[in-house]
């Protein structure tokens, strides 16, 4: 019945298929002794609809490619949810922060569901101002290994999401990128497992401090 959990799970399910139990433990961390940058709202329970905005790049497209088929297979009414994406090729957190600061208009594309958000093109501030239940951010893959690469841009984007979104209970989420195969040209000779450990470690630090 909690179909919205399935929807969010499918956004990152391909990433988790490659994780060992040790890898999973790296991202299942929260240090209660550390005061986080924000207080994130939990996902609403027993929600009858869910509105998700994902901001990223081609990995965002990959992560949402099969949502319609997966959710249809689960018997979830597409009129009860909407997943939209704002993407640009190889876009990083810094790229989207710059778009935000320049008041640059962007195109928002539907990825799944039938709910109408009443907008498909406009400034990023205007798109963020819609009543989203979840807003998902993502770092470009080659920078995902470095926690330092997230800042200060991620904080700027978080601040904008919390400032503009008209749903005061909006939940922030993170799209975890996968590691390159060792033979892939962009891997720079770094083994897949080592890259994955770096990605998971960066996310662990983000969860811990943000």
């Amino acid at each position: 019945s909690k179909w919205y959990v399935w929807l969010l799970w499918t956004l990152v399910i391909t990433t988790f298929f490659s994780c060992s139990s040790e890898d999973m433990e790296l991202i299942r961390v929260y240090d209660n002794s550390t005061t986080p940058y924000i207080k994130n709202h939990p996902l609403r329970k027993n929600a009858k609809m869910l509105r998700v905005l994902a901001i990223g790049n081609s990995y965002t497209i990959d992560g949402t490619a099969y949502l319609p088929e997966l959710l249809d297979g689960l018997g979830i009414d597409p009129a009860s949810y909407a997943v939209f994406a704002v993407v640009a090729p190889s876009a990083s957190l810094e790229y989207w922060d710059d778009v935000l600061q320049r008041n640059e208009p962007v195109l928002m594309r539907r990825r799944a569901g039938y709910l109408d958000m009443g907008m498909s093109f406009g400034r990023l501030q205007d798109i963020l101002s819609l009543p989203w239940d979840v807003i998902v951010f993502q770092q470009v893959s080659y920078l995902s290994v470095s926690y330092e690469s997230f800042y200060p841009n991620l904080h700027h984007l978080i601040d904008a999401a919390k400032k503009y979104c008209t749903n005061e209970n909006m939940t922030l989420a993170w799209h975890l990128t996968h590691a390159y195969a060792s033979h892939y040209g962009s891997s720079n000779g770094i083994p897949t497992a080592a890259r994955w450990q770096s990605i998971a470690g960066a996310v662990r630090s983000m969860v811990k401090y943000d």
Side-chain angles (χ1 to χ4, degrees):
S1 60
K2 295 183 178 180
W3 56 268
Y4 51 88
V5 175
W6 284 100
L7 190 152
L8 290 179
W9 172 250
T10 54
L11 290 171
V12 295
I13 194 167
T14 55
T15 300
F16 285 95
F17 277 146
S18 64
C19 302
S20 68
S21 59
E22 180 181 359
D23 293 332
M24 289 293 291
E25 197 60 35
L26 280 173
I27 58 174
R28 197 181 294 124
V29 174
Y30 187 83
D31 184 351
N32 291 319
S33 66
T34 301
T35 301
Y37 180 74
I38 62 159
K39 180 179 179 181
N40 199 12
H41 294 287
L43 189 65
R44 288 185 304 143
K45 295 182 178 179
N46 303 316
K48 295 183 179 180
M49 66 175 61
L50 193 69
R51 297 154 294 193
V52 179
L53 172 65
I55 300 174
N57 51 47
S58 60
Y59 276 42
T60 298
I61 299 299
D62 294 343
T64 57
Y66 298 104
L67 279 178
E69 292 86 351
L70 289 168
L71 296 172
D72 183 63
L74 291 168
I76 297 170
D77 183 3
S80 65
Y81 66 88
V83 179
F84 284 87
V86 175
V87 300
S90 301
S92 63
L93 293 169
E94 181 179 11
Y95 174 91
W96 290 117
D97 190 13
D98 288 344
V99 168
L100 182 71
Q101 303 307 321
R102 294 195 305 265
N103 294 316
E104 184 177 322
V106 296
L107 180 64
M108 184 174 75
R109 301 179 186 274
R110 182 184 297 274
R111 300 299 297 162
Y114 295 161
L115 278 180
D116 184 14
M117 298 304 294
M119 180 186 299
S120 61
F121 184 78
R123 299 182 310 157
L124 190 55
Q125 292 95 320
D126 298 328
I127 289 174
L128 288 171
S129 72
L130 298 173
W132 302 107
D133 296 295
V134 181
I135 296 178
V136 186
F137 292 117
Q138 174 207 335
Q139 179 60 299
V140 66
S141 57
Y142 68 88
L143 292 177
S144 295
V145 298
S146 171
Y147 173 67
E148 289 74 17
S149 76
F150 297 177
Y151 301 99
N153 310 112
L154 180 58
H155 282 172
H156 295 166
L157 292 166
I158 287 173
D159 288 345
K162 294 179 71 65
K163 176 181 178 180
Y164 294 113
C165 185
T166 50
N167 178 3
E168 62 181 14
N169 295 312
M170 175 270 298
T171 300
L172 291 166
W174 182 257
H175 184 147
L176 183 69
T177 61
H178 57 266
Y180 302 139
S182 298
H183 62 272
Y184 183 59
S186 296
S187 70
N188 296 320
I190 301 174
T192 301
R195 183 176 291 275
W196 170 250
Q197 290 286 346
S198 295
I199 292 171
V203 173
R204 175 178 59 179
S205 296
M206 182 186 61
V207 171
K208 184 175 182 180
Y209 297 116
D210 300 298

